[in-house]
Amino acid sequence: MPRPPIAGAVYAGGVQLGAYVLERLGPVDREQVLRDCSTNVDNLSAGRWETLLSSAVVVEEPMPLPYALLLVAVLGYAEYAYGVWWTAAVFLFGHVTATLMVYGVLRGRAGPQTRRALDVGTSYGFNAVLGALTSALPRGRSRTAARVGLLAVAAQPLLRRERTFTDAGHLVALGVGVGVSLVFDYLSGTNRPKIG
């Protein structure tokens, strides 16, 4: 009997528990922990590459319940369909790739406030896994429509005047995930699990 997909729930629960613990710290200590874990331009320029991992397990505040449930659902289905190692690899690949691409763009042009902005959370990895999961949809129009639709939704915040570098990171991470799904489609033919 296959093991139930629980790694995503354990990860999301750990992140949420950490957020509640951070809330109990004093403002100065909380801010220091967040800054130490952030993949902002200043940290990466100083060679603090460990933040590429720490930033994926820390959030500024507890995740809203709908987002936390969606995170568990997406990671859980990915784990069920493709396995825990596939899910973890896509999550980390998307998180790290999007972070480094945003850093590459910001490094030479960001102002002081952006260079030290907090950049932590689960969203880049989530978007990468979501994009990669499109390969689980039936081939043809529904898969293509899902990919185009997800990318269009992720691109929409970039059209706002108040857009942030995180908005760009979400689009990049989703694009990385869709790219992974296209590679898997090519390598595996039609032998991928389907949703439904």
Side-chain angles (χ1 to χ4, degrees):
M1 188 167 91
R3 283 180 30 200
I6 61 167
V10 170
Y11 164 74
V15 170
Q16 195 76 319
L17 180 61
Y20 287 121
V21 170
L22 273 179
E23 279 192 330
R24 295 196 165 281
L25 295 178
V28 174
D29 291 336
R30 179 182 172 278
E31 181 78 10
Q32 189 60 52
V33 169
L34 290 170
R35 294 223 169 269
D36 288 347
C37 293
S38 177
T39 49
N40 59 32
V41 175
D42 282 350
N43 277 348
L44 292 177
S45 293
R48 301 202 56 223
W49 300 109
E50 71 279 3
T51 60
L52 290 171
L53 293 179
S54 64
S55 63
V57 296
V58 174
V59 290
E60 291 183 56
E61 56 192 30
M63 296 178 284
L65 184 59
Y67 175 77
L69 293 175
L70 186 58
L71 177 65
V72 170
V74 166
L75 296 180
Y77 186 79
E79 185 181 349
Y80 166 77
Y82 299 116
V84 67
W85 294 113
W86 181 92
T87 304
V90 172
F91 186 98
L92 286 173
F93 180 67
H95 174 78
V96 170
T97 302
T99 299
L100 290 177
M101 289 181 77
V102 169
Y103 166 68
V105 170
L106 292 177
R107 185 176 57 175
R109 63 183 74 180
Q113 187 173 355
T114 300
R115 291 183 65 85
R116 49 178 197 270
L118 290 178
D119 190 16
V120 294
T122 63
S123 58
Y124 289 0
F126 165 80
N127 277 284
V129 173
L130 183 63
L133 269 181
T134 58
S135 65
L137 292 167
R139 283 186 181 270
R141 290 182 181 168
S142 61
R143 192 181 294 188
T144 301
R147 288 170 174 158
V148 171
L150 285 171
L151 290 169
V153 168
Q156 189 175 5
L158 295 175
L159 304 176
R160 297 180 316 203
R161 183 179 294 257
E162 314 82 40
R163 64 187 176 266
T164 67
F165 66 84
T166 304
D167 295 327
H170 292 155
L171 178 60
V172 170
L174 186 65
V176 167
V178 169
V180 166
S181 75
L182 292 170
V183 169
F184 280 8
D185 286 357
Y186 175 77
L187 294 177
S188 64
T190 58
N191 297 324
R192 301 305 299 170
K194 302 291 186 276
I195 293 175

